[in-house]
Amino acid sequence: MIEPIGNQYVVARPVYSANAFDEDHKKIERHHKTFLDHLKAWCSCSAQKAKRIALSLFPIASWLPAYRLKEWLLSDIVSGISTGLVAVLQGLAFALLVTIPPRYGLYAAFFPVLTYFLLGTSKHISVGPFPVLSMMVGAVVTRVASDASITTESSTNLTDSDSLLEDRKLLVATSVTVLSGIIQLALGVLQIGFVVIYLSESLISGFTTAAAVHVLVSQLKFMLQLTVPAHTDPFSIFKVLESVFTQIEKTNIADLVTSLIILVVVFVVKEINQRYKAKLPVPIPIELIMTVIATGVSYGFDFEHRFNVSVVGEMKKGFESPITPDAQIFQETIGDCFGIAIVGFAVAFSVASVYSLKYDYPIDGNQELIALGVSNIFTGAFRGFAGSTALSRSGVQESTGGKTQIAGILSAVIVLIVIVAIGFLLEPLQKSVLAALALGNLKGMLMQFAEIGRLWKKDKYDCLIWIMTFIFAIVLGLGLGLAASVAFQLLTIIFRTQFPKCTTLANVGRSNIYKNKKDYSEMYEPEGVKIFRCPSPIYFANIGFFKQKLTDAVGFSPHRILRKRNKALKKLRKLHKQGQLQITPKGFICTTDGFKDSDEELDNNQIEELDQPINTADLPFQIDWNADLPLNIVVPKISLHSLILDFSAVSFLDVSSMRGLKTILQEFIRINVDVYIVGTDDDFIEKLTRCQFFDDEVKDSIFFLTIHDAVLHVLMKKDYSTSKFNPTQQKETKFDFTINTNGGLRNREHQVPIETKF
């Protein structure tokens, strides 16, 4: 019963062990579903389930009938046009990161929108090229295509070699895209979209920042118009920088000046858009404005021939025929494709989650995997490259009023117009302009360096993950860097659980609250009672650390005490057998001074006996191990009689650590220290029962609901053991501990029938 008194409360209830609580409250034995039960439920079929599956596979069937035509159409049209213009420019720019002709970037900006419109669950993200993914695909393209080009350079002329290399790069890019899509589709169908949880925010932030640096370095050759050989192995970024700086005198000044002007203008206007976004009806489309101006100036002044600048070149009207992926490339790039698939999904899902929370609608991670997978397969088959969602493009779609994926379809229409009708107008555009536009979209990623300071103040481990992820991705490349980063992140989790911050607890304010005894000045620790808390799971890697910390907390090794007592018992038993030991009410009297028995003999003969429980049944006397023993037999004295283990934060226990824990409990029990475990859930105890953890020494009665229950049980048990009452009396004293209204611990004595004693 709980009685509220002002801002305090009084709780009156019995002291409960886990067994007593289950018995008093009639615990229900529940049947836990097995894997077979879940499989049967998954394979079952009904009309309602079929409808639910159909709606989940095609979310458009849910939101399109509810589309508010009059309210939303105008906003979606404005958003679609704005997003489409940005998608055209980003498609052209990000194609340079893939090291394929820019026109294929338009395909990558067009095809994924069509499939995502049907299958996606987010209403606001704009799917298509993303600089990090483009960079990852480009790294694979450079490695695989350069390996193949070595064998063809010697047998063909220069023109044919360039054409073959371009075709080979396109084949690699599309094959990688298709395989990445297949991986995403498979993960979605198997309902294992949870893999993205292994990419923490710190890891994603550090990885995308490193990718932005890779993008920056890769675009230097276009901004300076230098011929830089392909490097894909670890330390490639440093080799690219070395190539750039050794050729710096060959820089094309026209490209450099143009790209710097574009960069400055884009950065300034983007800052204006960010600062005055509340006052601007729509963001200023600075990329479009600068592209139109740069194209006009390049065409009017004939930059291509006058200054020998590199331009976009031929933009074929219409679509090219689909391409068949290469199975051999699948085998060579499956590891890279898995990383591309995971990163693409992680970025898209994180952005979609932000908008779903903002506008209060659900998204399905597994369905997003299916949508992105089908989109990449479809895009790769039609000569596009892997995509996800660009943060800036999705921001444009949302900030200009986009309500649904109708805006996405309209943006695809804008891209379609460029592909089939007006793409040729972009032929004079300098590649350095596209490189500058690509870098202009990296501002947000590069600003993530500020995360280091914030993370250092909040969590040192997260800060370390960010830094190491950045270093791995820079040094090893994006593919190997991602794998190394995930491994390092998991290692930090293992490290944190392997070395938990175990603490010794004590009572605060004589109440039912127990805190770290080092944190408060007025603490109450019952005499002979030690309360030890472990704040992590206990498993094979940290059971040794747990044992060491527990030994440090109690101040002695129970195993050492047990051996010392058994050694002393053997000596006392030998003395008694030889008649050299007499027992008086005041203690032992030894009648000889010549007894000698070396520790070496005891250690070497039947060493296992020293680890067994202390057995004094054959002796006519009891031994007080805290009293003085004869013949200067020294056994360490201990004042501890009860040990309480707080396992409220121990979520699981594996089989290896189970053996170690049982050994620890047995060692304490064998030296007459009662051990109690508190705060565990029922599943924990059920697992111990299944694994035959309990026996005559370690019993299931050691479990209590709370620390306070265990402490009160210890106090009552100690009082009963010293009680002067005759156990045959019909009445005896029972201690009822309750909490006073002033926060103190009150002990009330009252007479209760013997049947109700704890």
Side-chain angles (χ1 to χ4, degrees), residues 217-365:
V217 173
S218 69
Q219 295 305 287
L220 290 177
K221 63 180 180 182
F222 296 107
M223 296 176 65
L224 305 177
Q225 198 181 330
L226 301 175
T227 302
V228 178
H231 299 286
T232 60
D233 53 344
F235 304 98
S236 60
I237 190 171
F238 304 108
K239 296 177 182 178
V240 170
L241 287 173
E242 181 185 7
S243 298
V244 168
F245 286 113
T246 54
Q247 304 178 64
I248 197 73
E249 72 278 358
K250 301 178 183 177
T251 299
N252 188 304
I253 301 301
D255 272 325
L256 177 60
V257 172
T258 303
S259 57
L260 289 178
I261 293 174
I262 297 290
L263 264 180
V264 171
V265 174
V266 168
F267 275 136
V268 170
V269 177
K270 278 184 174 289
E271 188 64 29
I272 294 174
N273 284 339
Q274 180 65 27
R275 185 164 298 183
Y276 299 101
K277 62 180 178 180
K279 298 181 180 180
L280 293 172
V282 293
I284 301 172
I286 187 58
E287 291 96 339
L288 175 64
I289 295 172
M290 297 309 297
T291 300
V292 172
I293 294 174
T295 304
V297 171
S298 177
Y299 176 77
F301 291 95
D302 194 15
F303 276 14
E304 181 180 7
H305 297 99
R306 290 184 61 184
F307 301 108
N308 195 29
V309 299
S310 178
V311 297
V312 169
E314 182 183 8
M315 295 284 289
K316 296 180 181 179
K317 288 186 178 181
F319 295 97
E320 298 184 28
S321 59
I323 190 171
T324 303
D326 190 334
Q328 180 63 34
I329 295 176
F330 282 0
Q331 298 177 17
E332 296 178 20
T333 62
I334 185 169
D336 300 286
C337 292
F338 190 83
I340 291 170
I342 296 299
V343 171
F345 169 62
V347 172
F349 187 73
S350 60
V351 176
S353 298
V354 171
Y355 291 127
S356 71
L357 291 174
K358 182 177 181 179
Y359 293 98
D360 192 25
Y361 62 86
I363 58 171
D364 184 349

Side-chain angles (χ1 to χ4, degrees), residues 497-500 534 536-547 657:
T497 57
Q498 186 177 353
F499 304 103
C534 178
S536 79
I538 300 177
Y539 60 106
F540 64 93
N542 69 358
I543 183 63
F545 181 81
F546 170 81
K547 182 177 181 179
S657 61

Side-chain angles (χ1 to χ4, degrees), residues 497 500 532 534-544 546-547 645-647 649-658 660-661 664 684 687:
T497 57
F532 183 78
C534 178
S536 79
I538 300 177
Y539 60 106
F540 64 93
N542 69 358
I543 183 63
F546 170 81
K547 182 177 181 179
L645 301 178
D646 180 9
F647 278 9
V650 178
S651 57
F652 71 87
L653 192 73
D654 68 352
V655 176
S656 300
S657 61
M658 205 176 293
L661 178 62
I664 294 171
F684 186 94
K687 181 177 181 180

